Amino acid sequence: MRGKFVGGMHPSEFLGTFLGGDAFDNGSVPNSPWNDQVKNSFEAVNVGTTKMKGEKLLTTPPTESVMGTRLADAIQQCIDTKSFEYVDTHTQCDVNKIPRAPDTGTDGTLYAVSSRDLRGDKPNSKFSECTTEIKRAETAHVFSDNTAQDLELLLILTQDSIETRGQFTAYAVPPLMFQFRTHFFTVFIRGDTARLIRWDRAGAIVTTAFCYGEDPYLADFYWRFTNATPQARGHDTTVQRLSTSDTIALETREKLILKPNEPIYEIKVWNDVSTSTEDKNTEKVHTPQTADQGRSYYGTDAFVNNAQSATGRATRIFKVWDRLEDKIVALKDCWRVDSSSILPEGQVYKQLQEAKVRNIPTCLRAGDVDPSCPYQRTQTQCPPSSTRTLRSHIHYRIVMKEVCRCNITEFKNTKELVRVIRDALIAHTDACEKAGLLHRDVSAGNILITTDGKGLLSDWELSKEVAKLANARQHERTGTWQFMSAALLQQERPCHSIQDDLESFFHVFSWISLQYTKNHLSPVDLGEHLHDAYDKAVVDASRDLVYGAAAKLDKLKSRALQKIGFVDSAFRSLLLDWEDTCAARYDPDPDPSIVAQSRAALASATDPFIRDTLFHRVTDLVTQNKRDRLESGQWFIDRCDEAMKSNDWPSLAEARFKNPIITKDPASNVHVYPPTAPSTRGTKRTSGTSAEQLKSGSSTSDGKPKRRKVNPTVGNAQTTRRTRSSAFTSQMERVEEQADL
């Protein structure tokens, strides 16, 4: 999230902008609940206890637990209690788990009363309306309100600031990940001050700190929020949850073969473009719903959910029933980059399909979500009081004919892995040669496996015309960090090229092979290799720059996979050939004159020994020949075909293994162990609890379990062993970086 916070916005400006008159059905802001009683309740939140020590009167600040209880009492006076309830949730963790990330849980949560039966009696981010995080007054500052400084300047100076910011950022992710939302509000309390925060897929808008016991802004926020429309509160009303007894819900459950307790949603999709392969009967029913209000599809929770970051495209994929056509299709929900120079993905698919590009999904319908609704566009990029520029996003949905089995990481055996990556390479090569488009975001999450074991290359929204690759079009670079080429991760980077995409195919192949095929690396060595080669990043805060190719480049240049001990087979030979070819980009540049002379001699030579000597032993020629392979994907396709035709596939090489991994925690330089290791994950350590008590499972003196709140990227490994592999956690997360050169 570094660089994605904007502010500080004055709280009155914040309320006027996001909870002003247009946030209410009648267009009028309700009267403030602020009075002496409410003021006194908020003033009491941070009142400490005093006692004499000798001749001095000492004041001890209240604990977070005490502050939370008092704050809940104050907030309860400022909400519409008929429709909402504020719950003190500091003693329990969220029931929803983000894969391979620490447990999360906020200090206070606002819920709609109507969700009580659905959410149960434990904190449930699927139904949270707004959350509150509480810190004592002595906690390090998180933001700077000095207008001469950057809002996040203090984060450069203190580790505590980084951890606190990471913590409340982690708590904003689950509601945005598990709900259908356009934005989300949180409140950050530090001692007697508060900040209001609004999150969307562009970033987060933060107010200046204000004293909530003296100023009415916090009371006004809760009163306005609980009286505002669902859209203003952040709900995406183009998705509706159907009751279990609804006729369409019952039909959907039967069509999709769902369990009785799985929710059923109606999801609307608009259409901006008609594709050449669109079903001819798709628009045969021209009702007001299909023409103006989106077409309805019905399904349950997403089976692919890559919204594990508070910002970015937040791609989710649903298996849905098209009731009009009585077909099962795939629906992709995401937030596309709002740029006139970047085509929406549906229009890209139209170009690809018209050019007869093979092995891509079939687009049936695609469009911006409810173009008439302003909440379907991010707003963080343009707050009135900030000069920081962020990339805006537009909510987008696309319907595809193919409902794939999984992505490439779930291959059944190595032959299928090679076949699927070969199919994706065919799509990539076709797109370059037939449609003149370069994908530019090759990753494990974008290579899909169909139900019959074929490969598809998806997610074309970041593609670009090959003829325009030298022209930058965004102020930020987007890519999937683990699979970007070593060249693109350098501090001084070239523009994206076909060589970078082909190297990305190799990194996908290598990253998957290391984790899911037999090799000789120990769990520790494997974890370190994956972290160093694919996850390590260097943040240069002084230049607001992120880079991290040193280890990836070193391993590539040294042909590290040769030493890892894959089973000797056609599979190993293919993997090492790919590595050697991609590494040639970074070998010393060959002398053009030597290459020309060698090729001339090779063309005229008739003696096989001389030809072999020239072809394999003249270093400059060998390097240039490998580099020439990277001009097109055809050599990689042919090499896959050659490997699959080979009989050298022993069962050990063909089998799919899931290797145990022990990663190195970059924050602590301590190894993080697998799930079998003891864990105190999710335990909150209070001032009176030692690390030893946590490890032994001890509770506090009042017998209540306490949670330790953990930043998913920065933690204290001495008190908590966290089961986390950042390679898995951020598998398909996009890292948004600096300007294209």
Side-chain angles (χ1 to χ4, degrees):
M1 276 294 295
R2 170 153 182 82
K4 297 301 179 69
F5 291 98
V6 297
M9 200 176 194
H10 192 278
S12 63
E13 182 185 18
F14 183 95
L15 293 172
T17 302
F18 303 118
L19 291 171
D22 56 356
F24 305 93
D25 286 328
N26 61 4
S28 177
V29 176
N31 293 329
S32 173
W34 191 253
N35 55 38
D36 289 342
Q37 180 178 337
V38 171
K39 183 177 185 296
N40 291 337
S41 296
F42 278 110
E43 283 182 334
V45 170
N46 195 50
V47 174
T49 57
T50 58
K51 64 178 181 179
M52 294 296 298
K53 187 172 182 179
E55 297 181 353
K56 294 183 178 180
L57 184 64
L58 300 180
T59 301
T60 303
T63 64
E64 292 178 13
S65 176
V66 170
M67 291 176 66
T69 301
R70 294 173 179 175
L71 186 65
D73 292 339
I75 292 173
Q76 200 67 19
Q77 302 175 52
C78 305
I79 62 175
D80 176 6
T81 54
K82 293 181 180 179
S83 302
F84 295 88
E85 58 183 340
Y86 182 88
V87 181
D88 183 347
T89 52
H90 81 279
T91 60
Q92 292 179 302
C93 293
D94 184 10
V95 297
N96 301 296
K97 308 293 184 184
I98 298 177
R100 301 174 181 90
D103 292 346
T104 59
T106 59
D107 289 315
T109 307
L110 185 70
Y111 294 108
V113 172
S114 59
S115 70
R116 191 179 295 161
D117 292 338
L118 293 172
R119 71 174 186 262
D121 58 356
K122 294 182 179 180
N124 191 333
S125 56
K126 287 185 178 180
F127 301 96
S128 56
E129 293 281 341
C130 173
T131 60
T132 305
E133 178 59 24
I134 300 172
K135 292 295 181 185
R136 303 174 75 181
E138 61 266 29
T139 303
H141 286 279
V142 179
F143 299 108
S144 171
D145 288 332
N146 184 341
T147 56
Q149 295 179 341
D150 182 85
L151 177 72
E152 300 176 56
L153 178 63
L154 289 173
L155 299 180
I156 302 171
L157 303 178
T158 67
Q159 184 68 19
D160 288 344
S161 297
I162 296 174
E163 293 184 2
T164 301
R165 185 197 66 166
Q167 182 180 325
F168 68 66
T169 298
Y171 298 165
V173 172
L176 290 166
M177 180 178 180
F178 296 118
Q179 295 186 41
F180 295 93
R181 280 196 164 270
T182 58
H183 56 277
F184 189 72
F185 290 96
T186 62
V187 176
F188 178 61
I189 303 291
R190 177 182 173 275
D192 62 354
T193 64
R195 294 180 189 269
L196 307 177
I197 307 175
R198 182 190 185 275
W199 308 77
D200 65 23
R201 294 302 176 182
I205 299 177
V206 185
T207 69
T208 54
F210 59 90
C211 183
Y212 54 82
E214 297 179 3
D215 299 314
Y217 305 126
L218 187 58
D220 286 351
F221 167 77
Y222 280 107
W223 182 242
R224 292 192 190 192
F225 183 89
T226 56
N227 282 279
T229 63
Q231 294 96 323
R233 296 200 310 273
H235 288 281
D236 177 8
T237 55
T238 66
V239 179
Q240 297 292 330
R241 180 169 180 160
L242 304 183
S243 68
T244 55
S245 60
D246 186 280
T247 302
I248 297 179
L250 295 173
E251 292 178 9
T252 303
R253 201 175 301 280
E254 181 180 350
K255 293 287 183 179
L256 298 180
I257 316 176
L258 300 176
K259 297 177 182 178
N261 62 338
E262 292 185 83
I264 303 296
Y265 304 105
E266 176 189 19
I267 308 174
K268 293 184 178 180
V269 182
W270 279 253
N271 200 29
D272 294 340
V273 59
S274 296
T275 64
S276 58
T277 56
E278 185 175 9
D279 290 349
K280 299 303 181 183
N281 295 326
T282 296
E283 299 300 334
K284 64 184 179 181
V285 182
H286 292 286
T287 65
Q289 179 194 41
T290 59
D292 303 318
Q293 300 175 15
R295 177 168 170 171
S296 294
Y297 296 83
Y298 303 89
T300 187
D301 292 327
F303 69 88
V304 174
N305 192 337
N306 297 327
Q308 298 181 19
S309 173
T311 62
R313 288 179 287 171
T315 300
R316 295 187 285 185
I317 302 177
F318 303 81
K319 182 179 179 181
V320 295
W321 175 42
D322 180 351
R323 189 165 180 257
L324 289 179
E325 294 290 331
D326 193 19
K327 293 180 179 178
I328 307 300
V329 294
L331 189 157
K332 173 181 172 180
D333 179 280
C334 64
W335 288 79
R336 70 178 181 87
V337 176
D338 181 10
S339 172
S340 59
S341 62
I342 300 178
L343 283 178
E345 190 175 9
Q347 295 184 32
V348 177
Y349 275 119
K350 181 179 180 180
Q351 291 185 15
L352 296 172
Q353 288 164 185
E354 288 176 346
K356 302 188 184 306
V357 173
R358 294 168 288 175
N359 301 337
I360 61 170
T362 307
C363 174
L364 300 177
R365 187 179 183 88
D368 293 341
V369 176
D370 192 5
S372 64
C373 178
Y375 297 112
Q376 300 293 347
R377 278 74 175 151
T378 57
Q379 298 181 40
T380 303
Q381 72 277 359
C382 51
S385 60
S386 176
T387 58
R388 172 168 280 172
T389 301
L390 296 178
R391 183 162 52 189
S392 63
H393 292 70
I394 299 176
H395 202 179
Y396 193 75
R397 292 192 181 123
I398 182 168
V399 177
M400 294 168 287
K401 180 179 179 181
E402 295 83 5
V403 181
C404 292
R405 190 182 86 216
C406 55
N407 68 40
I408 194 172
T409 60
E410 299 296 328
F411 66 96
K412 291 180 179 178
N413 54 63
T414 53
K415 280 189 176 179
E416 182 178 71
L417 170 62
V418 173
R419 181 171 59 252
V420 167
I421 203 167
R422 185 273 314 266
D423 290 346
L425 276 161
I426 290 173
H428 187 274
T429 303
D430 275 4
C432 289
E433 297 177 355
K434 297 178 180 179
L437 291 175
L438 186 66
H439 190 281
R440 298 174 74 244
D441 188 22
V442 175
S443 73
N446 294 341
I447 302 175
L448 309 178
I449 305 178
T450 64
T451 52
D452 56 353
K454 296 181 179 179
L456 300 179
L457 183 58
S458 66
D459 288 3
W460 289 84
E461 64 263 43
L462 296 180
S463 62
K464 190 173 183 178
E465 292 181 45
V466 174
K468 297 180 180 179
L469 289 174
N471 300 323
R473 65 184 184 185
Q474 301 181 58
H475 66 276
E476 292 178 317
R477 182 189 299 279
T478 301
T480 305
W481 183 266
Q482 286 79 11
F483 312 114
M484 291 174 72
S485 71
L488 292 178
L489 295 181
Q490 300 288 342
Q491 295 186 55
E492 301 295 331
R493 295 164 291 190
C495 290
H496 207 118
S497 67
I498 187 172
Q499 288 85 357
D500 295 307
D501 268 17
L502 293 174
E503 186 182 326
S504 290
F505 273 106
F506 162 70
H507 291 308
V508 170
F509 193 18
S510 169
W511 186 82
I512 293 173
S513 299
L514 285 163
Q515 296 174 80
Y516 300 113
T517 67
K518 188 70 174 177
N519 60 66
H520 295 166
L521 287 181
S522 69
V524 172
D525 291 338
L526 177 57
E528 290 189 349
H529 182 104
L530 288 169
H531 173 260
D532 291 345
Y534 296 108
D535 295 313
K536 183 177 288 186
V538 177
V539 179
D540 185 343
S542 64
R543 293 187 291 166
D544 205 16
L545 182 69
V546 182
Y547 56 92
K552 176 177 282 188
L553 182 59
D554 287 345
K555 291 183 183 299
L556 196 54
K557 291 170 67 175
S558 66
R559 280 68 169 175
L561 296 185
Q562 294 182 7
K563 308 177 186 69
I564 283 177
F566 290 101
V567 177
D568 194 21
S569 62
F571 173 80
R572 177 180 183 272
S573 177
L574 174 66
L575 182 61
L576 298 189
D577 275 0
W578 277 31
E579 178 187 45
D580 187 42
T581 297
C582 292
R585 293 184 69 189
Y586 309 103
D587 288 339
D589 289 335
D591 186 321
S593 62
I594 294 178
V595 172
Q597 293 171 14
S598 300
R599 284 179 171 169
L602 186 64
S604 60
T606 57
D607 188 322
F609 176 77
I610 295 176
R611 291 180 61 87
D612 181 71
T613 300
L614 286 169
F615 193 81
H616 295 289
R617 302 182 189 178
V618 178
T619 303
D620 293 82
L621 180 60
V622 171
T623 300
Q624 188 59 53
N625 286 340
K626 293 173 185 175
R627 291 186 177 186
D628 290 346
R629 296 171 180 173
L630 291 162
E631 297 297 322
S632 163
Q634 193 58 52
W635 177 85
F636 293 86
I637 296 169
D638 294 341
R639 188 64 184 84
C640 286
D641 287 335
E642 178 187 342
M644 287 189 293
K645 291 176 183 177
S646 172
N647 294 322
D648 186 17
W649 285 78
S651 58
L652 197 59
E654 190 175 348
R656 182 184 194 275
F657 285 80
K658 189 171 183 179
N659 293 307
I661 298 172
I662 301 178
T663 65
K664 181 184 287 184
D665 188 332
S668 63
N669 205 34
V670 174
H671 289 121
V672 182
Y673 292 83
T676 53
S679 173
T680 57
R681 186 177 65 174
T683 305
K684 183 176 181 180
R685 174 178 163 187
T686 61
S687 58
T689 309
S690 68
E692 289 69 25
Q693 287 174 314
L694 280 177
K695 290 178 180 178
S696 64
S698 300
S699 60
T700 55
S701 58
D702 61 3
K704 295 181 180 179
K706 298 295 182 182
R707 295 179 292 108
R708 180 181 186 272
K709 298 187 177 181
V710 184
N711 175 349
T713 57
V714 180
N716 184 347
Q718 293 178 337
T719 57
T720 302
R721 284 178 174 178
R722 290 181 286 114
T723 305
R724 175 178 59 78
S725 166
S726 53
F728 282 103
T729 302
S730 55
Q731 173 181 323
M732 296 171 225
E733 250 180 46
R734 275 55 175 173
V735 177
E736 299 177 345
E737 297 186 60
Q738 319 311 310
D740 284 320
L741 299 179

